[in-house]
Amino acid sequence: MEKQKTVRVNNPILPGFHADPSICMANGEYFIANSTFEWYPGVEISRSKDLVHWTSVPSPLSEKRLLDMNGEKFSCGIWAPCLSYSDGLFWLIYTNVRNWNVGPHKDCPNFLTTAPSIEGPWSDPVFLNASGFDASMFHDDDGRHWYINMEWDYRKIGPRQFSGIVMREYDPKTKTLGAERHKIFLGSDIGMVEGPHLYKRNGYYYIAAAEGGTSYEHAISLGRSKSITGPYELHPKNPLISSYGHYDLKIQKAGHGSWCYSLDGKRTYLVYLCGRPLAGKPISSVPECILGRETALAEIEWVDDWPYIKQTDGSLGNTPPDYVDIPAETVTSDEPQSFPGMGKNHYSFNDGDFLRDFKTLRTPATGRYSLTERPGWLRLYGGQSPWSFYEQSIFCRRQTDFRFEAETKIDFEPDYFQQYAGMCYRYDEETQYLLQVTYSETRGKILQLNTIMPQSEYPNDFIQGMEIELKKGPVWMRLEVDHAKAWFSWSQDGKNFNKIRPLCDASKLSDEYGGMGFTGAFVGMFCVDTEFYRKPADFEYFDYTGFDKDSK
């Protein structure tokens, strides 16, 4: 028999910060929704016709009507959205976490919005509940809709605060939850059950839920039952997928995912959260994942109505594969595997197309930027400081490669030390590098590389670099990153670049460095004016070029 032709898809399929994936198949396409936390607009959506070539969809939560995160601290905001399709509509469940690490409570209101198309328009949000996060919706084949979320028990301590998965019926006519509350799943002895998704196949209901936290002990546990309310029997080889204990694998942190059937209904594919640590770090040191938590793919095979992960050698197991072979006849293009923002990207500012890959923080950037005041340039009006949880003037894109180069050209003439603008390489408000044009009373226009780090000698203050005197006129800024090593350089003619000392440690821009966080490294442009919130900085372009084959 002739061997089936396949196309190899390397993991991760969505590199860089693409956490908590939720996949659905609708209208001949696959769609993946990812968490965005404090980054705005909320919920990242990618689409594909073949699981090989991915493009981005405008983020749905792009209006204050749907999402306002003003004042929320880092790693609050959008947690674990769930995207599904039923009754001719896309259903998007999302959590806007207001507080998660101060006090015993987690303030996590959950909302539902629907749209006839993935591009919208999205309906006014319906508040569902706030008893826990990671909510999702299951559409049963009898026409009923079931809403589930993890339950947070603030009275308990540690892992026991993750007290189970709770389900209620949802009525789309009244847009309300039913009165009866069912606790359907307590998880396994791995603990910290969250991220639940329900499915139905061959008369069984299946619950897939994340456990073990979201770092190196992460996993997906799975149960099944003949009744939607349970009890659910655990998978005989639980967990369904995990990297825990297999520290030689490229793909670590495997867990928190969801599955869907292929377009032809012949296969089942799982997308799941993962991380790739920097090379050369022993597991005892908690190696950093500077690209954040990413999205990977696995094929599921069914044995006795239980799902198993197909390994790269064709066997069945529960560890994440480095790659998945997709039947060639289902692949729509001969082009290599691709994802949004892959390879060399030149972003001009003649229109708003750059916004597909760039995000701002917490609220819409309306009023804080212009593409018309200076045609062909992005004008950023000075906003609040780099520590602010409110209106910063900033546009960034995720880092998707271990090795990359970013470059921009800025035209900025400050006349006061509280005005500064330039290029940022950041994780959050407490962990970032800022190459900035600013003003000195004694030296005039200057360039500085400043550092904000939580574990420095002066936590959360500027660690100020040398003052470099500048001439009037534009400044070219460049950032080069090679795994944990990063360095900035500058030019005033666009040809001769001067490297700035010291080198920067990119590994600090990770979940592992500053404490518990959930995002990843971003690079972009910013402008600050803490006197009047109006001094403009103009950017002519932004280039991002990835060089790392491991990111493809």
Side-chain angles (χ1 to χ4, degrees):
M1 180 181 295
E2 184 179 354
K3 186 176 180 181
Q4 184 183 40
K5 293 182 179 180
T6 60
V7 173
R8 181 154 295 174
V9 179
N10 294 308
N11 276 322
I13 58 169
L14 297 177
F17 166 50
H18 287 89
D20 311 320
S22 167
I23 190 170
C24 78
M25 183 268 287
N27 303 327
E29 290 186 278
Y30 303 96
F31 300 92
I32 295 177
N34 293 101
S35 300
T36 45
F37 297 90
E38 70 265 33
W39 289 100
Y40 204 97
V43 182
E44 195 78 7
I45 295 184
S46 305
R47 74 193 309 167
S48 175
K49 292 183 180 293
D50 57 13
L51 300 172
V52 180
H53 306 98
W54 293 89
T55 57
S56 59
V57 175
S59 298
L61 307 183
S62 57
E63 307 170 56
K64 278 194 173 184
R65 171 181 65 90
L66 289 160
L67 179 66
D68 185 355
M69 300 183 289
N70 230 2
E72 294 178 7
K73 292 187 175 181
F74 38 79
S75 288
C76 286
I78 297 299
W79 285 23
C82 174
L83 183 67
S84 59
Y85 187 81
S86 179
D87 302 334
L89 293 172
F90 286 95
W91 301 52
L92 179 65
I93 302 283
Y94 62 97
T95 309
N96 182 11
V97 175
R98 297 292 192 173
N99 168 64
W100 67 274
N101 62 352
V102 178
H105 261 291
K106 280 182 168 52
D107 295 290
C108 45
N110 298 298
F111 300 92
L112 166 66
T113 180
T114 61
S117 165
I118 198 66
E119 288 88 3
W122 294 91
S123 65
D124 289 341
V126 175
F127 170 73
L128 296 171
N129 72 352
S131 64
F133 47 89
D134 291 4
S136 67
M137 189 76 77
F138 168 66
H139 312 283
D140 209 342
D141 52 17
D142 61 0
R144 301 171 77 180
H145 305 275
W146 296 92
Y147 169 80
I148 61 175
N149 64 272
M150 67 81 65
E151 179 188 68
W152 183 259
D153 192 339
Y154 69 93
R155 302 167 298 176
K156 297 178 180 177
I157 298 174
R160 293 189 301 127
Q161 292 175 312
F162 295 75
S163 51
I165 305 303
V166 176
M167 180 179 71
R168 290 177 185 258
E169 189 170 2
Y170 175 73
D171 185 342
K173 293 182 180 179
T174 62
K175 299 181 180 180
T176 58
L177 297 178
E180 191 172 5
R181 184 189 304 114
H182 309 272
K183 184 171 284 190
I184 62 172
F185 191 59
L186 299 178
S188 72
D189 58 3
I190 296 174
M192 295 190 287
V193 62
E194 56 184 340
H197 292 275
L198 276 173
Y199 306 93
K200 191 176 186 181
R201 181 183 183 274
N202 288 352
Y204 283 105
Y205 291 95
Y206 295 86
I207 185 165
E211 289 198 279
T214 192
S215 187
Y216 287 90
E217 297 184 6
H218 206 27
I220 295 177
S221 287
L222 188 124
R224 75 178 186 188
S225 174
K226 287 290 187 178
S227 168
I228 194 170
T229 57
Y232 282 82
E233 170 193 8
L234 273 177
H235 194 297
K237 299 290 186 180
N238 199 66
L240 175 64
I241 194 169
S242 182
S243 310
Y244 183 54
H246 300 276
Y247 302 126
D248 57 329
L249 296 176
K250 181 183 82 170
I251 303 298
Q252 293 291 327
K253 299 185 177 182
H256 196 124
S258 71
W259 73 64
C260 74
Y261 298 113
S262 61
L263 297 181
D264 60 11
K266 296 178 180 179
R267 287 165 295 278
T268 308
Y269 290 107
L270 173 78
V271 293
Y272 57 96
L273 177 157
C274 72
R276 289 176 294 160
L278 287 168
K281 293 287 191 77
I283 193 67
S284 59
S285 71
V286 190
E288 298 89 355
C289 296
I290 63 172
L291 301 183
R293 297 174 305 150
E294 307 172 287
T295 291
L297 179 73
E299 184 176 353
I300 283 175
E301 288 199 6
W302 295 88
V303 179
D304 297 329
D305 286 321
W306 285 112
Y308 292 85
I309 302 300
K310 187 175 180 179
Q311 305 294 291
T312 53
D313 63 2
S315 65
L316 301 183
N318 66 352
T319 56
D322 288 347
Y323 57 83
V324 176
D325 287 330
I326 303 291
E329 68 268 17
T330 68
V331 179
T332 59
S333 169
D334 292 332
E335 293 295 317
Q337 178 182 354
S338 61
F339 51 82
M342 174 182 175
K344 184 173 184 177
N345 296 269
H346 175 74
Y347 301 100
S348 61
F349 301 119
N350 299 310
D351 51 39
D353 283 353
F354 77 100
L355 294 171
R356 287 276 180 129
D357 289 342
F358 280 77
K359 290 189 172 292
T360 187
L361 288 165
R362 297 180 175 85
T363 60
T366 307
R368 298 199 293 276
Y369 79 103
S370 172
L371 297 174
T372 58
E373 287 292 322
R374 186 177 180 181
W377 294 66
L378 168 65
R379 172 160 290 180
L380 284 181
Y381 298 100
Q384 297 189 7
S385 77
W387 294 268
S388 175
F389 299 134
Y390 292 85
E391 286 91 18
Q392 291 194 46
S393 290
I394 186 171
F395 279 113
C396 292
R397 60 150 285 166
R398 57 180 46 81
Q399 177 181 344
T400 53
D401 305 82
F402 286 110
R403 296 175 57 245
F404 77 90
E405 180 180 290
E407 184 180 299
T408 191
K409 178 183 176 183
I410 178 176
D411 194 2
F412 182 56
E413 300 296 334
D415 56 33
Y416 188 43
F417 74 93
Q418 293 193 20
Q419 302 164 355
Y420 48 102
M423 178 183 283
C424 59
Y425 184 34
R426 75 191 307 278
Y427 177 79
D428 59 26
E429 279 69 24
E430 292 185 351
T431 315
Q432 51 185 313
Y433 299 103
L434 303 167
L435 180 60
Q436 60 190 46
V437 176
T438 186
Y439 181 83
S440 164
E441 293 89 342
T442 59
R443 307 186 73 177
K445 181 178 175 180
I446 61 171
L447 183 75
Q448 279 186 315
L449 173 60
N450 294 327
T451 302
I452 304 171
M453 288 290 156
Q455 297 178 16
S456 65
E457 183 179 357
Y458 304 102
N460 305 327
D461 286 335
F462 270 143
I463 303 173
Q464 296 184 344
M466 297 292 292
E467 295 182 354
I468 300 170
E469 291 188 21
L470 296 172
K471 299 179 295 183
K472 187 175 181 179
V475 179
W476 284 257
M477 297 180 171
R478 181 180 291 167
L479 170 66
E480 297 170 77
V481 175
D482 185 351
H483 292 78
K485 183 172 64 175
W487 58 93
F488 287 91
S489 55
W490 66 280
S491 172
Q492 283 211 272
D493 62 11
K495 299 176 182 177
N496 300 297
F497 279 80
N498 307 286
K499 185 180 291 187
I500 296 176
R501 296 172 182 268
L503 293 175
C504 301
D505 185 352
S507 72
K508 293 181 178 180
L509 306 183
S510 63
D511 295 352
E512 291 78 18
Y513 174 73
M516 186 178 290
F518 307 120
T519 55
F522 278 70
V523 60
M525 304 156 286
F526 75 99
C527 183
V528 174
D529 174 9
T530 49
E531 184 182 26
F532 293 121
Y533 298 144
R534 70 186 184 203
K535 183 73 175 182
D538 294 337
F539 297 84
E540 189 175 22
Y541 67 88
F542 193 95
D543 288 346
Y544 177 98
T545 304
F547 300 111
D548 188 4
K549 62 181 177 61
D550 290 336
S551 296
K552 310 295 185 285

